[in-house]
Amino acid sequence: MRVMISLAVLALPLVAGCATTDGPNRYQADLDRLDAQCTERGGILQPTGSQSGEPARDYACRITGGASRLN
């Protein structure tokens, strides 16, 4: 019984480490891509108030230029 508990205790940091390694890097990469796309459109990213873990839901592109359909 002690051996099983010891193995479980040792394995926990390994599993937790694997689960969190890609998270922030992937989120930041997606956020950078969204920011670049938004900037190309003449806008800026603004937080939506959501904290879903997906940048596309957490941020919206606000177009700040003088876009108009009346041209």
Side-chain angles (χ1 to χ4, degrees), residues 8-30:
V9 170
L10 291 174
L12 185 59
L14 295 175
V15 173
C18 291
T20 59
T21 301
D22 281 352
N25 293 334
R26 186 187 59 108
Y27 185 92
Q28 188 61 50
D30 289 348

Side-chain angles (χ1 to χ4, degrees), residues 9-68:
V9 170
L10 291 174
L12 185 59
L14 295 175
V15 173
C18 291
T20 59
T21 301
D22 281 352
N25 293 334
R26 186 187 59 108
Y27 185 92
Q28 188 61 50
D30 289 348
L31 183 59
D32 291 344
R33 180 183 48 79
L34 284 174
D35 187 39
Q37 289 173 345
C38 185
T39 301
E40 286 176 14
R41 296 173 50 202
I44 58 171
L45 283 182
Q46 290 189 326
T48 62
S50 175
Q51 294 182 353
S52 68
E54 296 180 31
R57 292 184 181 176
D58 298 343
Y59 292 88
C61 182
R62 179 172 179 233
I63 305 299
T64 57
S68 173

